[in-house]
């Protein structure tokens, strides 16, 4: 595995993102909605860098089997908050094809919030097809499959402290 982003780089960038969000949302008491499972570590670290009053909720969606998207989004667990009239910030671990976030953003918008923003730790700009611009991005990365810091490969590797590309291993397994 090749390390793309170290634990120290993650901490530094997430600190900056927390400051930026705190400044933009001062007095607006946002609800952060994390997308499970991948965003749980990012959410925990980001929230501790946010210095304004806020709430947190989670939604669970899935589309991936192994390291490939099935193309269909399944809702496994919905949010429990009423977001009508609230400022929602969706927290994603990674935007890859954009399928999940396009689906989720329009689903949240159907609940009549005051605003919806999206923060994603990682963004594969080369391959993403989005109906909107992301509001906060941690790092733009190449289209390689990555693991660590909450991101998995078949449910494993979430516990790694940095972000690692596993393209070399995937190639080895195919040859
Ligand atoms: P998208 O719908 O293709 O944008 O993918 C969104 C979801 O797929 C993310 O929230 C992740 O759970 C998963 N995913 C996409 N790319 C990767 C990756 O490189 N590593 C781990 N999970 C990924």
């Amino acid at each position: 595995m090749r390390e793309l982003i170290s634990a120290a780089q993650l901490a530094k960038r997430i600190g900056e993102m927390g400051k930026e969000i705190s400044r933009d949302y001062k007095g607006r008491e946002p609800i952060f909605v994390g997308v499970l499972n991948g965003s749980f570590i990012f959410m925990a670290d980001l929230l501790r860098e946010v210095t304004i009053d806020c709430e947190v909720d989670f939604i669970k969606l899935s589309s991936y089997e192994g390291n490939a998207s099935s193309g269909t989004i399944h809702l496994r667990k919905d949010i429990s908050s009423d977001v009508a009239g609230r400022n929602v910030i969706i927290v994603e671990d990674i935007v890859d094809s954009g399928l999940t976030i396009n689906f989720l953003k329009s689903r949240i918008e159907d609940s009549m919030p005051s605003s919806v923003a999206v923060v994603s730790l990682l963004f594969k700009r080369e391959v993403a097809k989005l109906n909107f611009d992301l509001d906060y991005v941690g790092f733009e990365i190449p289209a390689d499959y990555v693991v660590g810091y909450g991101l998995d490969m078949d449910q494993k590797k979430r516990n790694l402290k940095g972000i690692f590309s596993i393209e070399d291993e995937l190639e080895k397994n195919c040859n």
Side-chain angles (χ1 to χ4, degrees), residues 11-136:
K12 179 169 180 284
R13 181 71 190 116
I14 293 166
E16 292 165 358
M17 294 169 92
K19 274 202 194 84
E20 207 179 328
I21 293 171
S22 303
R23 196 188 55 222
D24 296 349
Y25 281 83
K26 195 161 180 234
R28 297 170 66 193
E29 296 198 3
I31 304 186
F32 289 83
V33 174
V35 187
L36 293 172
N37 289 338
S39 74
F40 77 107
I41 296 179
F42 175 42
M43 176 70 104
D45 284 347
L46 179 66
L47 258 262
R48 283 176 291 177
E49 299 294 342
V50 168
T51 52
I52 53 169
D53 270 347
C54 59
E55 295 174 30
V56 64
D57 203 341
F58 287 95
I59 190 165
K60 186 165 183 170
L61 299 170
S62 64
S63 66
Y64 268 61
E65 283 153 16
N67 66 329
S69 173
S70 67
T72 314
I73 312 283
H74 301 278
L75 178 67
R76 308 284 185 196
K77 177 214 166 287
D78 207 349
I79 50 171
S80 33
S81 326
D82 177 6
V83 297
R86 302 292 307 273
N87 295 297
V88 177
I89 304 177
I90 300 173
V91 179
E92 260 285 24
D93 52 350
I94 187 164
V95 171
D96 186 323
S97 68
L99 201 69
T100 307
I101 197 63
N102 282 333
F103 168 87
L104 179 56
K105 189 166 188 238
S106 71
R107 193 171 196 283
I108 300 265
E109 279 165 350
D110 288 345
S111 305
M112 308 303 284
S114 279
S115 68
V116 185
V118 178
V119 45
S120 186
L121 178 63
L122 305 175
F123 181 34
K124 296 185 187 174
R125 184 186 285 281
E126 287 164 32
V127 290
K129 290 196 175 64
L130 293 177
N131 304 330
F132 59 93
D133 289 332
L134 297 175
D135 301 275
Y136 306 92

